[in-house]
Amino acid sequence: MKLSITAFLILLMVCCEQKAQQSKTPASYTSTSELKEPIVFGQGRVTTANGISFSKGGDTLYTSESLEKQFENGRLYAGIFESRFEAGKWTTPKRVEFSINIDAYHPVLSTDNDVLFFNSRSHLDSANKSIPHNIWATQKTAKGWGTPKMVEGVNSLGYDSYPSVARNNNLYFNSDREGGKGGMDFYVSYFVEGKYQKPINLEKLNSSDVENDLVVDPDERFIIFNRYIIDTKEIDLFISFKKDDGWTTPRKLENLNSTDAWELTPSLSPDGKYFFYELEQKIMQVDLSSLIYAYELAGVGKR
């Protein structure tokens, strides 16, 4: 009898541990098989016009879509939308309502989920006036998201867009401000004592072409980005690794790039296992390890 009770308790503990492990792995994006090749995320039921960002629990997803509202020049506004993963599927996206009605797209959550960064073309004093992109942010409150504000210390008179934030709140983005190598360059603004510092050009990552969308690993071990190549009019994905406080020469992600389509808005799953990007208006998903060689990043690369 004692043996039976002991066996039962062990079995119960194993089952509980398995359930606990399963609960740590959000079913919203996990795959039961290894994704060496890209698949369409969510069987194509989830779409976005520009970028995606998961909550740290994986049960909330932020996307963006065009709106009917227009700027004075006729350009359409964009809005940020929120979906929740419930009963095994994503709910219908609901627009995130801010206290001011501004253009907002390319959502990026901070790793603690307390800040939502995004692009906006709205003028600071007149939301109906379209201007070059700026990086904005809103703070989470007990009632939702607070009043959005332009991120201080980061924006210039030119285009500043496509933010990506590290765990320490360092902010990476692209800009066409003076002093760059090409049409758009990548910059980093370090977060020191609660303030963003003067942006620094990431020279090793930049070229005479156009550096576009990027995502930085939360621990700043690597950056994945896309580049518009002027001569061929292609957009290809690249990866670079942090090395001795610098960055390695970017290499192309040849197993993802194609000659007849653009690979856009790279992002990572909150557990760091999957890589996402947009391809012909579809969100694609692939194992991060399939993009990285073992010698480049120990513990992650498997190629």
Side-chain angles (χ1 to χ4, degrees):
M1 184 68 178
K2 288 183 179 180
L3 182 61
S4 299
I5 293 174
T6 301
F8 173 75
L9 290 174
I10 292 174
L11 180 61
L12 183 62
M13 290 173 63
V14 170
C15 290
C16 289
E17 184 175 350
Q18 288 177 342
K19 288 184 178 180
Q21 290 295 326
Q22 291 171 358
S23 65
K24 293 178 182 178
T25 308
S28 62
Y29 60 74
T30 51
S31 173
T32 55
S33 58
E34 192 173 3
L35 300 182
K36 294 182 179 180
E37 299 294 332
I39 64 168
V40 178
F41 169 64
Q43 299 180 321
R45 298 190 183 98
V46 181
T47 61
T48 184
N50 195 300
I52 65 171
S53 187
F54 288 96
S55 65
K56 58 186 177 183
D59 57 354
T60 302
L61 179 66
Y62 291 89
T63 58
S64 58
E65 298 292 346
S66 296
L67 305 175
E68 294 183 1
K69 183 178 173 63
Q70 296 181 350
F71 286 106
E72 292 174 347
N73 61 6
R75 193 169 189 173
L76 291 176
Y77 268 55
I80 293 174
F81 289 76
E82 179 185 280
S83 300
R84 295 186 178 278
F85 193 71
E86 298 176 354
K89 62 181 181 180
W90 289 102
T91 60
T92 301
K94 182 179 179 181
R95 187 184 175 192
V96 176
E97 300 288 349
F98 299 126
S99 58
I100 53 176
N101 188 16
I102 61 170
D103 171 66
Y105 67 102
H106 192 73
V108 175
L109 280 168
S110 60
T111 56
D112 60 9
N113 288 190
D114 286 342
V115 181
L116 179 64
F117 295 88
F118 59 89
N119 294 343
S120 179
R121 296 159 293 188
S122 289
H123 192 279
L124 185 61
D125 300 318
S126 175
N128 287 334
K129 183 178 180 181
S130 175
I131 62 171
H133 307 67
N134 283 300
I135 299 172
W136 291 58
T138 175
Q139 196 86 22
K140 181 174 285 186
T141 71
K143 296 181 180 180
W145 293 108
T147 301
K149 297 179 181 179
M150 289 177 59
V151 178
E152 293 185 10
V154 170
N155 295 295
S156 68
L157 296 177
Y159 283 81
D160 303 287
S161 54
Y162 295 101
S164 183
V165 62
R167 197 182 312 279
N168 57 15
N169 293 317
N170 290 342
L171 190 65
Y172 294 74
F173 63 99
N174 73 347
S175 176
D176 67 351
R177 65 187 63 196
E178 292 184 4
K181 288 184 178 181
M184 300 285 281
D185 276 14
F186 290 137
Y187 291 80
V188 61
S189 176
Y190 294 114
F191 194 69
V192 180
E193 296 181 354
K195 293 183 179 180
Y196 281 107
Q197 307 301 301
K198 182 179 179 180
I200 298 171
N201 187 294
L202 296 173
E203 295 184 9
K204 196 71 175 181
L205 302 181
N206 297 319
S207 69
S208 59
D209 290 309
V210 182
E211 274 62 49
N212 285 308
D213 321 329
L214 79 159
V215 61
V216 65
D217 168 62
D219 297 313
E220 298 174 293
R221 298 172 300 174
F222 61 88
I223 287 178
I224 300 178
F225 65 91
N226 64 21
R227 174 184 291 161
Y228 175 72
I229 303 169
I230 298 172
D231 288 343
T232 61
K233 295 181 172 57
E234 292 179 305
I235 291 182
D236 285 335
L237 289 166
F238 290 77
I239 189 168
S240 174
F241 297 87
K242 195 73 172 288
K243 184 178 181 180
D244 300 328
D245 294 325
W247 294 94
T248 62
T249 301
R251 69 166 173 83
K252 285 187 177 183
L253 294 177
E254 297 289 9
N255 53 329
L256 296 186
N257 293 324
S258 58
T259 57
D260 56 354
W262 289 356
E263 294 79 23
L264 305 172
T265 56
S267 60
L268 299 169
S269 62
D271 63 3
K273 293 181 179 180
Y274 299 101
F275 175 71
F276 297 88
Y277 63 102
E278 291 174 56
L279 182 69
E280 297 180 322
Q281 299 181 323
K282 297 183 181 68
I283 301 171
M284 307 301 294
Q285 176 182 359
V286 66
D287 281 352
L288 178 64
S289 61
S290 71
L291 311 180
I292 299 173
Y293 294 98
Y295 71 85
E296 291 176 319
L297 194 60
V300 175
K302 291 184 180 179
R303 295 182 65 196

